[in-house]
Amino acid sequence: MSDILAVAEHRRGDLRDVSFELVTAGRELADAADGDLHVAVIGGDVDGFADELNREGVDAIHTVAEGEEFNHDVYTQTVEALYDELAPEVLLLPNTVNGLDYAPAVSNGLSLPLVTDAIDVEYGDTLSVTREMYGSKVETVVEVDADRVALTIRPGEWPPAEGTGDAEISQFDVDIDESSVRSTVTGFQEVGGGDVDITDADVLVSVGRGIEEEENIALVEALADTLGATLSSSRPIVDNGWLPKNRQVGQSGKVVTPDIYIAIGISGAVQHVAGMKGADTIVAINTDASAPIYDLADYGVADDLFDVVPALIEEFGGEPPAL
């Protein structure tokens, strides 16, 4: 029997979605390895987080009351201590800014091979990890030739775990070497138009280069307002300076998993698709009926967005802007 240890992630008082995706991925691995799934949460409201993480499929939750926010040195020491105590076969971490901050240090300290940015895993005689390469143009499978491994998973690739579990919740005490803690979080500052977090949106209306001119974005913005949705974009819009970086969806932007994603004037390059393919329902509006976005879309309108979008605004009770 081989156990799995997944480390949850939280930020500013809230568990991040990837924490529940880790539970799903971890449960799949634990089932294949005939082992238990352990979940650890470090710092913050660990008792409240533990209650949220107690989803179906979790066997044990370990709370570590150390600090409020992420700290590289605290996480590194704590995860290493948890690993030494539990001896899991797979150490499962989020492929996020925070996760990639401490994962290399932990894998080095524990002498574990590290495979990052997994989009799929299979457990058989060996662990097979699917990753994307060359700007998401190709998928490769990495066969891990080791008994134990550290693995980071890409957010948005696994559905979040649901249901209510009956995990054993226990406090894990770790003796932190305070002399090795060389930084601390003193506050947060929003950067780059941080007025909205597109990763939290239920409905996204996303605009691409098909909008042609900056002033035409007002049309797509009007649709978003009419639908009560959030405006987002592909990379060319941000590169042109027409929308701030925090609105960008894609490999170099944010990974989003809304209920509905409406792609307007977006061709569907692999870099963009990597950021939105986890949406429940995808609607595409593009004049090019052979655009790659239609390979992914649930619904598509192969027509001029300057005709389709105003019609949609009117249909839902709004008034199209004069361009």
Side-chain angles (χ1 to χ4, degrees):
M1 185 173 76
S2 301
D3 293 343
I4 311 298
L5 171 61
V7 182
E9 179 169 308
H10 61 88
R11 184 178 297 171
R12 302 175 73 172
D14 294 314
L15 283 170
R16 305 197 72 198
D17 289 344
V18 70
S19 298
F20 305 107
E21 295 162 14
L22 282 162
V23 171
T24 301
R27 185 66 258 166
E28 290 176 2
L29 285 169
D31 286 342
D34 191 26
D36 290 337
L37 172 60
H38 297 256
V39 176
V41 59
I42 305 167
D45 179 16
V46 291
D47 293 333
F49 293 152
D51 288 339
E52 290 186 66
L53 289 165
N54 195 358
R55 302 285 174 100
E56 187 175 347
V58 179
D59 295 297
I61 299 174
H62 308 275
T63 63
V64 185
E66 291 289 343
E68 290 299 318
E69 295 294 342
F70 170 77
N71 180 284
H72 168 88
D73 299 305
V74 170
Y75 267 62
T76 299
Q77 292 185 50
T78 302
V79 174
E80 289 184 1
L82 281 162
Y83 182 89
D84 288 341
E85 176 71 19
L86 301 172
E89 182 159 337
V90 179
L91 176 60
L92 202 57
L93 309 171
N95 198 80
T96 59
V97 172
N98 287 356
L100 292 174
D101 180 287
Y102 70 92
V106 168
S107 64
N108 182 65
L110 296 173
S111 298
L112 293 175
L114 172 63
V115 184
T116 61
D117 201 24
I119 62 171
D120 192 20
V121 291
E122 290 187 10
Y123 186 96
D125 294 334
T126 61
L127 182 68
S128 300
V129 183
T130 302
R131 305 176 72 249
E132 292 182 334
M133 298 181 66
Y134 304 113
S136 299
K137 291 182 175 63
V138 297
E139 290 185 358
T140 60
V141 177
V142 177
E143 299 287 346
V144 181
D145 185 18
D147 294 333
R148 302 186 185 277
V149 61
L151 175 67
T152 71
I153 69 164
R154 181 186 295 181
E157 295 296 327
W158 279 264
E162 297 179 345
T164 302
D166 58 355
E168 177 184 349
I169 301 175
S170 61
Q171 179 177 317
F172 183 81
D173 296 319
V174 57
D175 186 14
I176 298 294
D177 179 5
E178 296 295 341
S179 65
S180 297
V181 179
R182 293 160 290 183
S183 63
T184 185
V185 175
T186 60
F188 293 89
Q189 181 176 350
E190 300 291 357
V191 178
D195 58 311
V196 66
D197 184 356
I198 60 175
T199 63
D200 288 336
D202 293 326
V203 181
L204 281 174
V205 176
S206 207
V207 59
R209 69 170 76 242
I211 200 66
E212 297 177 356
E213 301 290 342
E214 181 177 6
E215 55 266 27
N216 294 337
I217 290 178
L219 180 63
V220 179
E221 191 170 24
L223 177 60
D225 290 342
T226 301
L227 297 175
T230 300
L231 181 67
S232 58
S233 77
S234 62
R235 179 172 178 172
I237 301 300
V238 173
D239 287 347
N240 288 340
W242 298 350
L243 285 176
K245 177 71 173 179
N246 71 306
R247 300 278 182 164
Q248 182 183 330
V249 174
Q251 189 178 40
S252 57
K254 294 186 176 181
V255 175
V256 297
T257 54
D259 295 332
I260 300 174
Y261 187 86
I262 304 176
I264 301 175
I266 294 174
S267 64
V270 290
Q271 293 87 348
H272 183 77
V273 167
M276 45 69 73
K277 62 184 179 181
D280 288 344
T281 301
I282 298 170
V283 180
I285 302 172
N286 195 300
T287 54
D288 182 4
S290 62
I293 192 69
Y294 287 118
D295 294 334
L296 194 67
D298 299 289
Y299 303 95
V301 182
D303 206 339
D304 191 333
L305 70 87
F306 294 103
D307 294 327
V308 176
V309 175
L312 286 173
I313 294 172
E314 292 178 349
E315 177 69 22
F316 287 98
E319 183 175 345
L323 298 178

